[in-house]
Amino acid sequence: MIRDTLSEFLDVTSIQQGASSHPYQLEILEYNILKFTFANINLVDSVTNEPESHGFVSFRISQLDSLPLGTVIHNSAAIFFDYEPPVIRMRRIMN
């Protein structure tokens, strides 16, 4: 499962789903949290087969209209594997 917490500067109603490594279900939790659920993805561990241990999801989303030039958009996503603590990924984008 991936939980992506979107910046308040992004328009969640504009989301367009893109390519992914495996089928998934997308839910929008609250206003700004995307939840990607991969049922039975069963990735192998990286020691056994590193190339087959990866998965991905992509999407496009628009910024809100009339953001001031130079607005910094922060994004973070938590990737959950089984019962392990989540892996956190962060991005920073300049408008």
Side-chain angles (χ1 to χ4, degrees):
M1 175 183 55
I2 300 172
R3 283 193 184 202
D4 190 340
T5 303
L6 301 174
S7 164
E8 69 270 17
F9 301 129
L10 299 175
D11 179 6
V12 73
T13 65
S14 71
I15 192 163
Q16 297 175 13
Q17 297 178 53
S20 67
S21 59
H22 298 78
Y24 66 89
Q25 179 182 359
L26 173 62
E27 296 175 72
I28 300 173
L29 308 176
E30 300 172 23
Y31 177 73
N32 65 338
I33 299 173
L34 304 180
K35 179 182 175 186
F36 299 89
T37 303
F38 297 85
N40 302 315
I41 190 170
N42 298 323
L43 294 175
V44 298
D45 68 83
S46 60
V47 174
T48 302
N49 186 334
E50 202 279 332
E52 294 295 320
S53 69
H54 298 271
F56 74 90
V57 63
S58 65
F59 63 92
R60 295 177 60 108
I61 191 164
S62 299
Q63 300 175 23
L64 294 176
D65 291 336
S66 70
L67 286 180
L69 188 61
T71 300
V72 177
I73 299 173
H74 294 274
N75 179 253
S76 65
I79 306 165
F80 295 85
F81 296 98
D82 301 319
Y83 300 103
E84 300 295 321
V87 176
I88 307 296
R89 299 284 185 230
M90 300 184 78
R91 291 189 76 180
R92 182 179 136 178
I93 302 165
M94 291 283 289
N95 171 9

